[in-house]
Amino acid sequence: MSIREKMKKIIVIATGGTIAGSGEAGKTTSYRAGTIKVEDVLASIPQIQDIANIEMVQLLSVDSNEMNEQYWLSLVEMINKQASRDEVDGIVVTHGTDTLEETAYFLNLTVHTVKPVVLTGAMRPATATSADGPFNLYQAIALAANDKAIGCGVMALFSSTIYSARGIEKVNNYKIDAFGHNGSGALGYMRDDEVYISTRPVTHHTIYSIFSHEHYQSLPNVSLVTYYAGAPVLLLEAVSRYSEGIVVVGTGSGNFSKQWIDKLEELARKDIVIVRSSRVAHAIVFDEPVFDPDHLFVGSNTLSPFKARILLSLCLTRTKKREEIEQFFKTY
């Protein structure tokens, strides 16, 4: 058996984003995302051929702000299809950075494999001077090909840092080191193609997630509403007309005015599930008996509002019972 035959097989699924963006040569701004093929990015890192056998799948070519639930469902289907192949050892997804954390968390709950799934992207387009995409992609492929990554759930790789899908969040909109985590810490780090994983997720994910055992055609509509000083309840009335659930982005520990409390209690009694979250970056929102004496709301725990919306949408495919949804938020 040749050396190449012994190497891991990695599927790279391209969805677009800045990593596949192009613009004026050398410039980092005024570019269009998802306009070039990721094969061209791979061609700029020939040393990747010494790490893994690569197979490309061009699923989408979009800016990540165009990502939606139907694209997510198509991506889950593609990942599961590729992961079911015995000869495939891992999967890398190239993605725009703006909504990468949401896609990663959705995949973390819905893909059904223990094989490594790694998302990566870039803050600079492929045509920029010192584009960061090639090195991120190089390390993502090396991570997906490493046995240490098996069973870690969906991960993201940026600037030599390994993030969990649940913990990653975009914290900067112009530096190449644009991501951080929600206080839980990174899973590990990389030095070139060497992998150093120091911790593993304890929340349920991938094959351990009940949501990964289902095949979804669509998802219940869950809205996100932000509370601010003086925010009118008309905002809640408007979204309640087409929502099965509402995630409220509150202040502090998931707080909002008495007027909003009254309106949300009314909506909860009309069978709309209400989740309290916070606009504070590293908040933990617990259930509050004093704030919510009738136990009508669910606390988002350590999830960001955007990830809480995703989990609530999946929860609503199974139940509307507050106690069961509350347990899901503690488990996932």
Side-chain angles (χ1 to χ4, degrees), residues 65-84:
N65 289 295
E66 300 300 326
M67 273 290 170
N68 56 42
E69 290 163 353
Q70 286 305 311
Y71 285 153
W72 284 347
L73 296 175
S74 296
L75 184 53
V76 169
E77 183 179 1
M78 178 58 70
I79 291 172
N80 286 337
K81 176 183 176 182
Q82 298 298 334
S84 68

Side-chain angles (χ1 to χ4, degrees), residues 27-303:
K27 300 294 185 180
T28 62
T29 58
S30 302
Y31 62 88
R32 292 183 61 193
T35 55
I36 68 172
K37 294 181 179 179
V38 175
E39 286 100 323
D40 296 334
V41 180
L42 277 170
S44 69
I45 42 175
Q47 61 269 39
I48 203 67
Q49 302 302 323
D50 298 327
I51 293 178
N53 293 313
I54 311 297
E55 184 177 318
M56 284 292 310
V57 176
Q58 187 74 49
L59 181 65
L60 302 168
S61 295
V62 298
D63 184 297
S64 70
N65 289 295
E66 300 300 326
M67 273 290 170
N68 56 42
E69 290 163 353
Q70 286 305 311
Y71 285 153
W72 284 347
L73 296 175
S74 296
L75 184 53
V76 169
E77 183 179 1
M78 178 58 70
I79 291 172
N80 286 337
K81 176 183 176 182
Q82 298 298 334
S84 68
R85 295 166 56 191
D86 291 339
E87 70 273 23
V88 170
D89 297 290
I91 293 165
V92 170
V93 179
T94 60
H95 195 288
T97 60
D98 283 346
T99 62
L100 180 143
E101 62 200 77
E102 293 172 73
T103 298
Y105 186 59
F106 182 80
L107 296 178
N108 199 49
L109 298 175
T110 53
V111 298
H112 194 71
T113 182
V114 294
K115 294 178 181 179
V117 177
V118 183
L119 279 74
T120 194
M123 289 296 289
R124 294 173 179 169
T127 50
T129 300
S130 299
D132 56 321
F135 190 63
N136 284 339
L137 184 55
Y138 171 77
Q139 289 195 317
I141 291 171
L143 176 60
N146 194 293
D147 288 344
K148 295 176 185 177
I150 296 172
C152 285
V154 174
M155 296 166 284
L157 188 288
F158 270 86
S159 298
S160 299
T161 306
I162 304 167
Y163 298 98
S164 72
R166 191 183 191 280
I168 189 171
E169 55 186 25
K170 190 170 182 179
V171 296
N172 197 288
N173 69 337
Y174 61 94
K175 293 182 179 180
I176 60 171
D177 190 9
F179 286 88
H181 42 76
N182 64 357
S184 59
L187 296 183
Y189 301 90
M190 295 189 68
R191 188 172 183 234
D192 293 329
D193 61 341
E194 297 176 13
V195 176
Y196 299 91
I197 292 178
S198 55
T199 187
R200 288 173 176 265
V202 295
T203 53
H204 290 193
H205 57 73
T206 58
I207 66 168
Y208 311 105
S209 166
I210 60 171
F211 306 113
S212 75
H213 298 266
E214 305 292 336
H215 181 75
Y216 302 102
Q217 297 295 327
S218 61
L219 295 170
N221 188 60
V222 174
S223 296
L224 199 67
V225 184
T226 300
Y227 175 77
Y228 53 89
V233 294
L234 288 175
L235 296 173
L236 298 172
E237 292 174 357
V239 300
S240 68
R241 294 169 190 157
Y242 58 87
S243 302
E244 293 183 49
I246 298 174
V247 175
V248 182
V249 187
T251 60
S253 299
N255 305 323
F256 27 85
S257 68
K258 180 63 168 61
Q259 193 177 30
W260 271 49
I261 292 174
D262 292 343
K263 185 63 182 180
L264 288 166
E265 287 179 346
E266 176 189 325
L267 295 176
R269 291 189 172 95
K270 292 180 179 178
D271 212 26
I272 296 176
V273 180
I274 309 297
V275 171
R276 296 169 46 243
S277 67
S278 176
R279 66 189 190 186
V280 177
H282 295 161
I284 305 176
V285 180
F286 298 106
D287 296 313
E288 297 287 353
V290 175
F291 187 84
D292 179 25
D294 294 329
H295 301 286
L296 296 173
F297 310 144
V298 175
S300 62
N301 204 318
T302 57
L303 288 176

